[in-house]
Amino acid sequence: MILNNPNLDVRKTNRAIDELMKVTTNPRHRFMLEAYYRHRFLEIGGRYEEIFAPEMTVASPLYHFEVGGNSATLDGAEAVKGFYAVWAQTNQSIFYVEDEQIAVADNFIASVATMYQQTHGKTLAGNGIAVDDENAYYLMRVPGMQMFWPYDDQCRLIGEDVWEPRGAERTLTKLTASEVLTSEQAGKLLEPFIKPLRTFEEVVLQAA
């Protein structure tokens, strides 16, 4: 927890998924939510390589980002891995969430939330966002962030579409050294929550 806010705890990032799982009975939807849960914690914990297991992600995912001054299209596994690698190596894979709403359908998961990302000053400056110290870390608060994750018929992630519709409301809070969480530290905190993913055949086909 940082900044005296109980919600800013990486272990609570997936609590909206937990709540949705309590009322979701469709086996396909439950499997997608399990994969979504695992993906997010692997990403935050810097274990991005595991996201690309063939049972979780298609061979050539496509990502679109329009958030935090960053406009990018990542086409293919190597491009996405490279992006995740930079985040993990620079401790920018740390996310916190407030007020999240999640919906699941047969071929997509959608989320709207107030999202926080621990972001380095040089990254912000490079994206055209003014900071007073490029060597410091900031907590970037993005209200109303929208994420759309499409899945194929075998519940494998096809990509991500991430959009910031209320950029004028984005805020930055400079973090002290003691408030900065490393990807390695996050990985240790999240390890108890990252469970092996059951197979599509086991969860969906057998239920059918």
Side-chain angles (χ1 to χ4, degrees):
M1 184 181 75
I2 63 173
L3 304 175
N4 297 315
N5 186 331
N7 290 317
L8 301 186
D9 181 335
V10 290
R11 293 167 294 187
K12 296 182 178 181
T13 304
N14 282 341
R15 61 190 178 278
I17 305 174
D18 288 327
E19 291 303 310
L20 183 55
M21 286 287 283
K22 292 178 182 178
V23 296
T24 300
T25 58
N26 181 300
R28 178 181 180 85
H29 296 175
R30 290 187 65 84
F31 182 72
M32 287 168 56
L33 289 170
E34 287 177 14
Y36 185 61
Y37 183 104
R38 178 175 169 81
H39 179 127
R40 299 209 318 185
F41 273 172
L42 288 173
E43 181 178 337
I44 294 170
R47 293 167 53 180
Y48 60 91
E49 290 279 2
E50 297 173 62
I51 291 170
F52 298 89
E55 66 271 18
M56 285 187 63
T57 305
V58 298
S60 186
L62 181 63
Y63 282 45
H64 299 101
F65 291 106
E66 292 283 347
V67 61
N70 183 23
S71 178
T73 295
L74 307 176
D75 192 351
E78 292 309 309
V80 178
K81 284 182 184 179
F83 193 80
Y84 282 150
V86 170
W87 273 2
Q89 292 161 9
T90 58
N91 304 316
Q92 297 181 99
S93 64
I94 310 302
F95 288 90
Y96 308 97
V97 174
E98 284 184 331
D99 306 320
E100 185 171 27
Q101 297 182 63
I102 296 175
V104 58
D106 285 348
N107 287 96
F108 71 84
I109 292 175
S111 163
V112 178
T114 296
M115 185 75 72
Y116 297 78
Q117 182 181 8
Q118 181 175 281
T119 311
H120 198 265
K122 287 183 180 178
T123 299
L124 293 166
N127 290 337
I129 298 174
V131 295
D132 62 4
D133 184 356
E134 291 190 6
N135 294 314
Y137 280 91
Y138 292 80
L139 199 62
M140 180 173 64
R141 180 179 183 272
V142 181
M145 193 172 86
Q146 300 174 6
M147 297 194 299
F148 180 85
W149 293 28
Y151 288 80
D152 72 2
D153 288 340
Q154 296 182 50
C155 298
R156 297 174 302 184
L157 181 69
I158 296 173
E160 296 183 24
D161 296 299
V162 182
W163 168 249
E164 178 188 14
R166 293 156 54 185
E169 298 176 36
R170 182 197 318 128
T171 59
L172 296 175
T173 301
K174 190 175 181 179
L175 298 176
T176 65
S178 63
E179 291 173 327
V180 175
L181 186 67
T182 68
S183 297
E184 181 179 4
Q185 290 170 331
K188 291 178 180 178
L189 288 171
L190 296 175
E191 186 173 3
F193 302 92
I194 301 174
K195 308 299 183 184
L197 183 67
R198 296 180 293 167
T199 67
F200 175 78
E201 290 78 11
E202 177 186 2
V203 179
V204 181
L205 296 186
Q206 288 186 13

PDB file of all heavy atoms in Angstrom, residues 10 18 24 29 31 52 56 65 76 83 85 104 106 112 117 137 149 158-159 182:
ATOM      1  N   VAL A  10      -0.925  -4.018  -4.972  1.00  0.00           N
ATOM      2  CA  VAL A  10      -0.991  -4.851  -6.179  1.00  0.00           C
ATOM      3  C   VAL A  10      -1.786  -6.129  -5.946  1.00  0.00           C
ATOM      4  O   VAL A  10      -2.375  -6.686  -6.885  1.00  0.00           O
ATOM      5  CB  VAL A  10       0.416  -5.192  -6.711  1.00  0.00           C
ATOM      6  CG1 VAL A  10       1.094  -3.966  -7.295  1.00  0.00           C
ATOM      7  CG2 VAL A  10       1.277  -5.850  -5.642  1.00  0.00           C
ATOM      8  N   ASP A  18     -12.428 -11.293  -9.016  1.00  0.00           N
ATOM      9  CA  ASP A  18     -12.894 -12.186  -7.961  1.00  0.00           C
ATOM     10  C   ASP A  18     -14.400 -12.051  -7.749  1.00  0.00           C
ATOM     11  O   ASP A  18     -15.118 -13.048  -7.595  1.00  0.00           O
ATOM     12  CB  ASP A  18     -12.171 -11.887  -6.646  1.00  0.00           C
ATOM     13  CG  ASP A  18     -10.717 -12.341  -6.650  1.00  0.00           C
ATOM     14  OD1 ASP A  18     -10.413 -13.357  -7.291  1.00  0.00           O
ATOM     15  OD2 ASP A  18      -9.893 -11.661  -6.008  1.00  0.00           O
ATOM     16  N   THR A  24     -20.465 -15.915 -11.915  1.00  0.00           N
ATOM     17  CA  THR A  24     -20.312 -16.417 -13.279  1.00  0.00           C
ATOM     18  C   THR A  24     -20.361 -17.936 -13.266  1.00  0.00           C
ATOM     19  O   THR A  24     -19.539 -18.594 -12.612  1.00  0.00           O
ATOM     20  CB  THR A  24     -18.987 -15.943 -13.899  1.00  0.00           C
ATOM     21  OG1 THR A  24     -18.963 -14.510 -13.922  1.00  0.00           O
ATOM     22  CG2 THR A  24     -18.829 -16.463 -15.320  1.00  0.00           C
ATOM     23  N   HIS A  29     -16.851 -18.603 -19.884  1.00  0.00           N
ATOM     24  CA  HIS A  29     -16.593 -17.294 -19.287  1.00  0.00           C
ATOM     25  C   HIS A  29     -15.677 -17.426 -18.072  1.00  0.00           C
ATOM     26  O   HIS A  29     -14.783 -16.595 -17.864  1.00  0.00           O
ATOM     27  CB  HIS A  29     -17.916 -16.634 -18.889  1.00  0.00           C
ATOM     28  CG  HIS A  29     -18.804 -16.326 -20.056  1.00  0.00           C
ATOM     29  ND1 HIS A  29     -20.070 -15.823 -19.902  1.00  0.00           N
ATOM     30  CD2 HIS A  29     -18.599 -16.455 -21.395  1.00  0.00           C
ATOM     31  CE1 HIS A  29     -20.618 -15.647 -21.091  1.00  0.00           C
ATOM     32  NE2 HIS A  29     -19.752 -16.038 -22.006  1.00  0.00           N
ATOM     33  N   PHE A  31     -13.406 -19.711 -17.550  1.00  0.00           N
ATOM     34  CA  PHE A  31     -12.049 -19.998 -18.019  1.00  0.00           C
ATOM     35  C   PHE A  31     -11.358 -18.728 -18.514  1.00  0.00           C
ATOM     36  O   PHE A  31     -10.181 -18.495 -18.230  1.00  0.00           O
ATOM     37  CB  PHE A  31     -12.098 -21.049 -19.130  1.00  0.00           C
ATOM     38  CG  PHE A  31     -10.733 -21.443 -19.631  1.00  0.00           C
ATOM     39  CD1 PHE A  31      -9.892 -22.219 -18.849  1.00  0.00           C
ATOM     40  CD2 PHE A  31     -10.292 -21.047 -20.883  1.00  0.00           C
ATOM     41  CE1 PHE A  31      -8.627 -22.586 -19.298  1.00  0.00           C
ATOM     42  CE2 PHE A  31      -9.045 -21.407 -21.347  1.00  0.00           C
ATOM     43  CZ  PHE A  31      -8.204 -22.183 -20.550  1.00  0.00           C
ATOM     44  N   PHE A  52       2.740 -15.761 -22.739  1.00  0.00           N
ATOM     45  CA  PHE A  52       2.714 -16.213 -24.124  1.00  0.00           C
ATOM     46  C   PHE A  52       2.665 -17.728 -24.265  1.00  0.00           C
ATOM     47  O   PHE A  52       2.931 -18.271 -25.334  1.00  0.00           O
ATOM     48  CB  PHE A  52       3.911 -15.618 -24.872  1.00  0.00           C
ATOM     49  CG  PHE A  52       3.860 -14.121 -24.917  1.00  0.00           C
ATOM     50  CD1 PHE A  52       4.429 -13.366 -23.906  1.00  0.00           C
ATOM     51  CD2 PHE A  52       3.189 -13.462 -25.929  1.00  0.00           C
ATOM     52  CE1 PHE A  52       4.353 -11.977 -23.923  1.00  0.00           C
ATOM     53  CE2 PHE A  52       3.098 -12.081 -25.948  1.00  0.00           C
ATOM     54  CZ  PHE A  52       3.676 -11.337 -24.941  1.00  0.00           C
ATOM     55  N   MET A  56      -2.678 -19.682 -23.515  1.00  0.00           N
ATOM     56  CA  MET A  56      -3.166 -18.386 -23.042  1.00  0.00           C
ATOM     57  C   MET A  56      -3.287 -17.341 -24.143  1.00  0.00           C
ATOM     58  O   MET A  56      -4.196 -16.509 -24.115  1.00  0.00           O
ATOM     59  CB  MET A  56      -2.247 -17.841 -21.941  1.00  0.00           C
ATOM     60  CG  MET A  56      -2.393 -18.526 -20.602  1.00  0.00           C
ATOM     61  SD  MET A  56      -1.441 -17.698 -19.302  1.00  0.00           S
ATOM     62  CE  MET A  56      -2.243 -16.080 -19.230  1.00  0.00           C
ATOM     63  N   PHE A  65      -2.540   0.765 -28.059  1.00  0.00           N
ATOM     64  CA  PHE A  65      -2.544   1.596 -26.859  1.00  0.00           C
ATOM     65  C   PHE A  65      -2.755   3.057 -27.242  1.00  0.00           C
ATOM     66  O   PHE A  65      -2.108   3.579 -28.159  1.00  0.00           O
ATOM     67  CB  PHE A  65      -1.205   1.498 -26.110  1.00  0.00           C
ATOM     68  CG  PHE A  65      -0.937   0.167 -25.471  1.00  0.00           C
ATOM     69  CD1 PHE A  65      -0.014  -0.699 -26.021  1.00  0.00           C
ATOM     70  CD2 PHE A  65      -1.590  -0.209 -24.305  1.00  0.00           C
ATOM     71  CE1 PHE A  65       0.242  -1.921 -25.437  1.00  0.00           C
ATOM     72  CE2 PHE A  65      -1.334  -1.429 -23.710  1.00  0.00           C
ATOM     73  CZ  PHE A  65      -0.415  -2.293 -24.280  1.00  0.00           C
ATOM     74  N   GLY A  76       2.427  -8.693 -33.170  1.00  0.00           N
ATOM     75  CA  GLY A  76       3.197  -9.916 -33.053  1.00  0.00           C
ATOM     76  C   GLY A  76       3.775 -10.121 -31.665  1.00  0.00           C
ATOM     77  O   GLY A  76       3.979  -9.177 -30.906  1.00  0.00           O
ATOM     78  N   PHE A  83       7.860  -4.910 -25.360  1.00  0.00           N
ATOM     79  CA  PHE A  83       7.193  -3.853 -24.598  1.00  0.00           C
ATOM     80  C   PHE A  83       7.102  -4.240 -23.127  1.00  0.00           C
ATOM     81  O   PHE A  83       7.443  -3.468 -22.232  1.00  0.00           O
ATOM     82  CB  PHE A  83       5.804  -3.631 -25.192  1.00  0.00           C
ATOM     83  CG  PHE A  83       5.119  -2.382 -24.724  1.00  0.00           C
ATOM     84  CD1 PHE A  83       5.439  -1.152 -25.266  1.00  0.00           C
ATOM     85  CD2 PHE A  83       4.134  -2.430 -23.744  1.00  0.00           C
ATOM     86  CE1 PHE A  83       4.799   0.010 -24.854  1.00  0.00           C
ATOM     87  CE2 PHE A  83       3.496  -1.281 -23.317  1.00  0.00           C
ATOM     88  CZ  PHE A  83       3.826  -0.063 -23.876  1.00  0.00           C
ATOM     89  N   ALA A  85       8.926  -6.400 -21.584  1.00  0.00           N
ATOM     90  CA  ALA A  85      10.283  -6.513 -21.024  1.00  0.00           C
ATOM     91  C   ALA A  85      10.774  -5.166 -20.521  1.00  0.00           C
ATOM     92  O   ALA A  85      11.370  -5.069 -19.439  1.00  0.00           O
ATOM     93  CB  ALA A  85      11.239  -7.070 -22.068  1.00  0.00           C
ATOM     94  N   VAL A 104     -17.827  -9.947 -19.176  1.00  0.00           N
ATOM     95  CA  VAL A 104     -17.280 -11.046 -19.969  1.00  0.00           C
ATOM     96  C   VAL A 104     -18.356 -11.565 -20.911  1.00  0.00           C
ATOM     97  O   VAL A 104     -19.516 -11.718 -20.544  1.00  0.00           O
ATOM     98  CB  VAL A 104     -16.735 -12.175 -19.059  1.00  0.00           C
ATOM     99  CG1 VAL A 104     -17.818 -12.725 -18.142  1.00  0.00           C
ATOM    100  CG2 VAL A 104     -16.103 -13.294 -19.880  1.00  0.00           C
ATOM    101  N   ASP A 106     -18.640 -14.233 -24.792  1.00  0.00           N
ATOM    102  CA  ASP A 106     -18.027 -15.443 -25.324  1.00  0.00           C
ATOM    103  C   ASP A 106     -16.653 -15.198 -25.944  1.00  0.00           C
ATOM    104  O   ASP A 106     -15.807 -16.097 -25.926  1.00  0.00           O
ATOM    105  CB  ASP A 106     -18.937 -16.075 -26.376  1.00  0.00           C
ATOM    106  CG  ASP A 106     -20.136 -16.772 -25.751  1.00  0.00           C
ATOM    107  OD1 ASP A 106     -20.146 -16.954 -24.514  1.00  0.00           O
ATOM    108  OD2 ASP A 106     -21.066 -17.138 -26.496  1.00  0.00           O
ATOM    109  N   VAL A 112     -13.650  -1.204 -17.403  1.00  0.00           N
ATOM    110  CA  VAL A 112     -13.570   0.248 -17.229  1.00  0.00           C
ATOM    111  C   VAL A 112     -13.152   0.487 -15.786  1.00  0.00           C
ATOM    112  O   VAL A 112     -13.753  -0.073 -14.859  1.00  0.00           O
ATOM    113  CB  VAL A 112     -14.911   0.947 -17.521  1.00  0.00           C
ATOM    114  CG1 VAL A 112     -14.783   2.453 -17.287  1.00  0.00           C
ATOM    115  CG2 VAL A 112     -15.362   0.666 -18.945  1.00  0.00           C
ATOM    116  N   GLN A 117      -0.641   3.632 -12.890  1.00  0.00           N
ATOM    117  CA  GLN A 117       0.580   2.952 -13.320  1.00  0.00           C
ATOM    118  C   GLN A 117       1.792   3.676 -12.754  1.00  0.00           C
ATOM    119  O   GLN A 117       1.897   4.907 -12.843  1.00  0.00           O
ATOM    120  CB  GLN A 117       0.713   2.891 -14.838  1.00  0.00           C
ATOM    121  CG  GLN A 117       1.969   2.124 -15.280  1.00  0.00           C
ATOM    122  CD  GLN A 117       2.150   2.055 -16.781  1.00  0.00           C
ATOM    123  OE1 GLN A 117       1.419   2.702 -17.530  1.00  0.00           O
ATOM    124  NE2 GLN A 117       3.124   1.287 -17.251  1.00  0.00           N
ATOM    125  N   TYR A 137      10.138   8.450 -10.128  1.00  0.00           N
ATOM    126  CA  TYR A 137       8.961   7.685 -10.530  1.00  0.00           C
ATOM    127  C   TYR A 137       7.711   8.457 -10.124  1.00  0.00           C
ATOM    128  O   TYR A 137       7.688   9.158  -9.106  1.00  0.00           O
ATOM    129  CB  TYR A 137       8.939   6.310  -9.867  1.00  0.00           C
ATOM    130  CG  TYR A 137       9.822   5.299 -10.550  1.00  0.00           C
ATOM    131  CD1 TYR A 137      11.148   5.130 -10.151  1.00  0.00           C
ATOM    132  CD2 TYR A 137       9.346   4.515 -11.599  1.00  0.00           C
ATOM    133  CE1 TYR A 137      11.972   4.198 -10.775  1.00  0.00           C
ATOM    134  CE2 TYR A 137      10.158   3.585 -12.225  1.00  0.00           C
ATOM    135  CZ  TYR A 137      11.466   3.430 -11.811  1.00  0.00           C
ATOM    136  OH  TYR A 137      12.272   2.518 -12.438  1.00  0.00           O
ATOM    137  N   TRP A 149     -10.325  -6.801 -24.401  1.00  0.00           N
ATOM    138  CA  TRP A 149      -9.447  -7.937 -24.690  1.00  0.00           C
ATOM    139  C   TRP A 149     -10.232  -8.980 -25.481  1.00  0.00           C
ATOM    140  O   TRP A 149     -11.090  -9.665 -24.919  1.00  0.00           O
ATOM    141  CB  TRP A 149      -8.939  -8.577 -23.396  1.00  0.00           C
ATOM    142  CG  TRP A 149      -8.012  -7.746 -22.570  1.00  0.00           C
ATOM    143  CD1 TRP A 149      -7.945  -6.391 -22.490  1.00  0.00           C
ATOM    144  CD2 TRP A 149      -7.005  -8.234 -21.664  1.00  0.00           C
ATOM    145  NE1 TRP A 149      -6.979  -6.001 -21.607  1.00  0.00           N
ATOM    146  CE2 TRP A 149      -6.386  -7.112 -21.082  1.00  0.00           C
ATOM    147  CE3 TRP A 149      -6.593  -9.508 -21.287  1.00  0.00           C
ATOM    148  CZ2 TRP A 149      -5.358  -7.233 -20.142  1.00  0.00           C
ATOM    149  CZ3 TRP A 149      -5.569  -9.632 -20.351  1.00  0.00           C
ATOM    150  CH2 TRP A 149      -4.955  -8.502 -19.793  1.00  0.00           C
ATOM    151  N   ILE A 158      -6.311 -12.683 -28.087  1.00  0.00           N
ATOM    152  CA  ILE A 158      -5.944 -12.226 -29.426  1.00  0.00           C
ATOM    153  C   ILE A 158      -5.154 -10.928 -29.361  1.00  0.00           C
ATOM    154  O   ILE A 158      -4.301 -10.655 -30.201  1.00  0.00           O
ATOM    155  CB  ILE A 158      -7.203 -12.036 -30.292  1.00  0.00           C
ATOM    156  CG1 ILE A 158      -7.900 -13.389 -30.502  1.00  0.00           C
ATOM    157  CG2 ILE A 158      -6.876 -11.399 -31.630  1.00  0.00           C
ATOM    158  CD1 ILE A 158      -9.242 -13.281 -31.193  1.00  0.00           C
ATOM    159  N   GLY A 159      -5.425 -10.106 -28.350  1.00  0.00           N
ATOM    160  CA  GLY A 159      -4.735  -8.822 -28.243  1.00  0.00           C
ATOM    161  C   GLY A 159      -5.373  -7.958 -27.175  1.00  0.00           C
ATOM    162  O   GLY A 159      -6.177  -8.430 -26.369  1.00  0.00           O
ATOM    163  N   THR A 182       9.331  -2.435  -6.945  1.00  0.00           N
ATOM    164  CA  THR A 182       9.998  -3.032  -8.095  1.00  0.00           C
ATOM    165  C   THR A 182       9.154  -4.182  -8.637  1.00  0.00           C
ATOM    166  O   THR A 182       8.319  -4.761  -7.934  1.00  0.00           O
ATOM    167  CB  THR A 182      11.394  -3.560  -7.731  1.00  0.00           C
ATOM    168  OG1 THR A 182      11.264  -4.689  -6.852  1.00  0.00           O
ATOM    169  CG2 THR A 182      12.242  -2.477  -7.070  1.00  0.00           C
TER     170      THR A 182
END
